[in-house]
Amino acid sequence: MEASAAAAVADGQGYVPHEDGPDRAPLLLQTAREKHATDFTGRLYTDDDGQIWQHVNGEDPVRVITADGVTGTEQLRMLLSLRDTASELQELDRTGSDPDRAREVRSQLAGRRWPGRCLPPRTGVARGSPRQPREASRPPDAGRKCRTAP
C-alpha cells in the first residue's frame, strides 16, 4: 500500500490541499431527482411546426437533423410520441386518478406499431430443426408487417 501511495505521489497524483484553502465555499450538491426536474439538457421535443429540437440549458435549442433524412426524422417523431404516451400512462398509473383514461392509453400503446418493434415474420421452423437458408432473391426486410403510428 505504501509503495502504491509513493508511486502515485511520484506521478503527481497524490493528495494536494485545495488551492482556495479550508475557507472555500461549500459544494452545493443536488439529488438526481432535483437536477432532472430543472435541467432539460439533451431532451428532445417538437414545436408546433413539427420540427424536432434538442434542449440546451442556458442556450438556444438546437434543431435536430437526423443522419438518414426524412425517414429518420419520421421515426424519431414516432419515438417521441411513444415517449410522451408512455410518460402519460406512467403518470396515470402513479396517481390512479383516471383509470378509464389509463386503459385507453394502454390499449393505444398496445395497438400501435412503433419503430424498433417491427420484426421480420417468423419462418415457422420448429425448434430443433435446422434453419432453412433465406432465398437470395428476397430482400431481408420483405414481409415485415409494420405500419406507422399517426
Side-chain angles (χ1 to χ4, degrees):
M1 183 89 128
E2 289 178 8
S4 293
V9 170
D11 290 342
Q13 298 178 358
Y15 171 76
V16 178
H18 194 276
E19 59 194 38
D20 292 340
D23 297 326
R24 69 183 185 273
L27 293 175
L28 301 175
L29 302 176
Q30 58 185 175
T31 64
R33 182 180 302 273
E34 293 168 327
K35 178 184 183 301
H36 295 304
T38 58
D39 182 2
F40 301 104
T41 297
R43 294 190 187 175
L44 301 177
Y45 65 93
T46 56
D47 63 10
D48 295 335
D49 297 329
Q51 293 184 359
I52 302 172
W53 298 87
Q54 184 173 24
H55 183 86
V56 181
N57 267 5
E59 297 187 24
D60 293 333
V62 177
R63 183 163 178 240
V64 174
I65 301 173
T66 57
D68 56 354
V70 175
T71 304
T73 302
E74 288 306 313
Q75 186 177 30
L76 187 55
R77 272 194 196 99
M78 286 189 291
L79 288 170
L80 291 174
S81 174
L82 172 62
R83 177 200 64 188
D84 296 341
T85 306
S87 180
E88 178 187 0
L89 178 60
Q90 184 180 24
E91 182 66 17
L92 287 167
D93 285 345
R94 186 184 66 78
T95 61
S97 60
D98 192 352
D100 293 333
R101 175 67 182 149
R103 273 191 295 280
E104 180 184 330
V105 172
R106 189 171 280 107
S107 67
Q108 177 186 7
L109 281 171
R112 291 168 86 175
R113 291 280 186 182
W114 300 97
R117 290 188 58 199
C118 297
L119 302 174
R122 302 192 89 175
T123 60
V125 177
R127 287 183 188 238
S129 65
R131 284 187 63 104
Q132 299 297 321
R134 186 187 310 256
E135 294 175 25
S137 63
R138 184 176 176 194
D141 63 345
R144 288 187 186 215
K145 296 177 181 148
C146 298
R147 55 189 157 93
T148 59

